[in-house]
DNA sequence: ACCCTACATTGATTCAGATCAATTTTAGGA
DNA sequence: TCCTAAAATTGATCTGAATCAATGTAGGGT
């Protein structure tokens, strides 16, 4: 597994961390099994996950996607119930948050990295909140595509190729839309010439600045 | 001013922090003037602020409210443009984020506190995203009231009094709704007997568990 | 105590996206 | 290669909140 320690920690803290979590293999579509009595910090060694919040009435909102090498905070004491689910075969390390933070206090570099990542997550979440609160379907999808391009896109001259690991339903659950609306907006962007698609998952972004414009980014 | 140091820092770091920021008095309705070239961490010494994100077309989304003693991260390199505005006369300390974090690395306790607060902000932001993405107007307002009760409510036997420092427009901008819809939902909750209001800002929550239920919390 | 202006409420109508309802396409397995 | 179930697309209709339009009210200033 792609290892957590090299990127964020050195020295004895690394050994102490290793004792806190067993590496786990999560199959596609399965939920990371964590003790529902405490918060967790989950490191995604390889693969892709989605963090899902459930509200009453079976409604689900995907709060974030995570790619290999990223760290997710999975809270338990919140208004909604959260779970982490694998979009593809995924390897994770799940640390009880309390224990992890306890070790981090005595490892300033590890703690600084954790803080940096948490701030990035916060800033992403805020940008997402703006989309959910104030943008229409087209802007939300454009914003999603630009964001994904930034994280997992393969840049080419003037354009960018995406291999999306998530379904239309996942995209809808992430953008607060239905699959039908997501599909219609894909068609719309395709007709405008801003994107091309092939199969279920490949998307070619032909003009990222124009998409960002369409996304309402300032 | 209520001081930052006692709560989160001791020793020499406190002195170094003091050198980074001048205390500022922000009048009601004014924006905290910060250098738009870098991220900031703003400590709210007294008063109340809102963090506003602007998307294109003059649309605004309030991403969070902050009360006295709280710390806000104001990012500059994001998809939307953020600013921090005072709801009432407010005293703040604005630290350039880079400098603050630089000092924090050598002050594990300060850094740990900063991390704890950032995680709280992230968890709040996620719960907000669920509301914006998947809840109807009534659930959003109920959720807002329960959340405010938690932060600034004055508990009584079985009920709770709120003195809201924000206008209906602010509430709408926070919940992704218009003032008219917010007003209608206040009336609705009033008629159901779940709340009572007096004047523009006082709200009495008569049954918080019922409101939480109405809010779709699980 | 009285204005006067912002703010809030209430009602009528419109519209973007949800919902309902068929197809059509995709990609993995026989 | 064909077959099939799941996923995606497209179309018709419905609905909750936005928008447009008055009207009512609170509370600071004189």
């Amino acid at each position: 597994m792609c290892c957590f320690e090299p990127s964020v920690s050195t020295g004895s803290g690394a050994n102490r961390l290793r004792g806190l979590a067993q590496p786990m293999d999560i199959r596609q579509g399965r939920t990371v099994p964590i003790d529902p009595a405490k918060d967790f910090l989950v490191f995604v060694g390889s693969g892709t996950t989605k963090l899902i919040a459930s509200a009453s009435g079976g409604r689900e909102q995907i709060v974030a996607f995570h790619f290999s090498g990223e760290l997710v905070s999975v809270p338990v004491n919140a208004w909604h119930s959260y779970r982490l689910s694998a979009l593809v075969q995924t390897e994770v390390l799940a640390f009880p948050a309390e224990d992890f933070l306890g070790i981090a206090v005595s490892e300033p570099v590890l703690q600084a990295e954790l803080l940096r990542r948490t701030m990035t997550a916060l800033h992403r979440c805020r940008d997402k909140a703006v989309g959910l609160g104030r943008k229409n379907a087209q802007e939300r999808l454009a914003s999603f595509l630009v964001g994904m391009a930034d994280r997992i896109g393969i840049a080419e001259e003037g354009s960018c190729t995406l291999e999306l690991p998530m379904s239309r339903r996942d995209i809808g659950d992430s953008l607060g839309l239905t699959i039908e609306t997501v599909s219609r907006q894909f068609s719309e962007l395709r007709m405008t010439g801003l994107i091309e698609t092939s199969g279920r998952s490949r998307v070619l972004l032909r003009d990222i600045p124009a998409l960002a414009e369409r996304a309402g980014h300032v």
Side-chain angles (χ1 to χ4, degrees), chain A:
Chain A
M1 179 185 299
C2 165
C3 200
F4 186 46
E5 294 82 13
S7 60
V8 305
S9 169
T10 51
S12 73
N15 296 315
R16 288 201 277 156
L17 280 181
R18 236 176 260 121
L20 286 181
Q22 298 301 326
M24 287 189 284
D25 269 34
I26 313 295
R27 290 225 306 278
Q28 177 168 150
R30 293 313 189 78
T31 293
V32 177
I34 53 181
D35 177 356
K38 45 189 176 181
D39 291 352
F40 272 79
L41 284 171
V42 179
F43 176 71
V44 180
S46 70
T48 310
T49 63
K50 52 180 172 180
L51 180 63
I52 307 173
S54 296
S56 60
R59 290 168 297 180
E60 302 206 323
Q61 173 70 39
I62 294 178
V63 150
F65 294 107
H66 310 88
F67 301 101
S68 115
E70 298 185 337
L71 192 65
V72 203
S73 158
V74 184
V76 66
N77 280 322
W79 290 341
H80 308 100
S81 120
Y82 289 87
R83 68 184 196 279
L84 191 66
S85 176
L87 289 178
V88 298
Q89 173 84 14
T90 297
E91 294 168 297
V92 301
L93 288 168
F95 304 91
E98 276 303 312
D99 304 344
F100 192 110
L101 295 179
I103 291 174
V105 194
S106 56
E107 294 275 327
V109 178
L110 170 65
Q111 206 181 28
E113 176 64 18
L114 188 52
L115 178 56
R116 203 186 56 73
R117 286 171 183 238
T118 306
M119 282 197 168
T120 301
L122 174 60
H123 296 167
R124 278 212 187 105
C125 189
R126 284 171 174 172
D127 276 331
K128 166 177 278 239
V130 178
L132 294 173
R134 290 292 179 215
K135 291 190 183 166
N136 66 26
Q138 176 128 180
E139 293 171 311
R140 292 186 203 186
L141 183 59
S143 195
F144 170 81
L145 291 172
V146 170
M148 281 298 143
D150 206 39
R151 295 172 76 185
I152 55 166
I154 295 150
E156 284 143 6
E157 342 71 58
S159 63
C160 176
T161 300
L162 275 177
E163 196 68 45
L164 295 177
M166 66 288 283
S167 67
R168 297 289 188 266
R169 169 165 302 282
D170 287 331
I171 297 173
D173 284 349
S174 168
L175 301 180
L177 302 169
T178 58
I179 38 176
E180 293 95 329
T181 299
V182 171
S183 187
R184 275 185 258 268
Q185 295 311 323
F186 262 106
S187 303
E188 190 75 24
L189 290 178
R190 214 182 289 122
M191 284 195 290
T192 326
L194 284 172
I195 66 171
E196 282 169 30
T197 58
S198 69
R200 285 172 181 167
S201 59
R202 174 164 289 116
V203 186
L204 172 69
L205 312 188
R206 301 181 55 100
D207 184 352
I208 295 196
L211 273 171
E213 169 83 29
R214 193 65 68 101
H217 295 173
V218 292

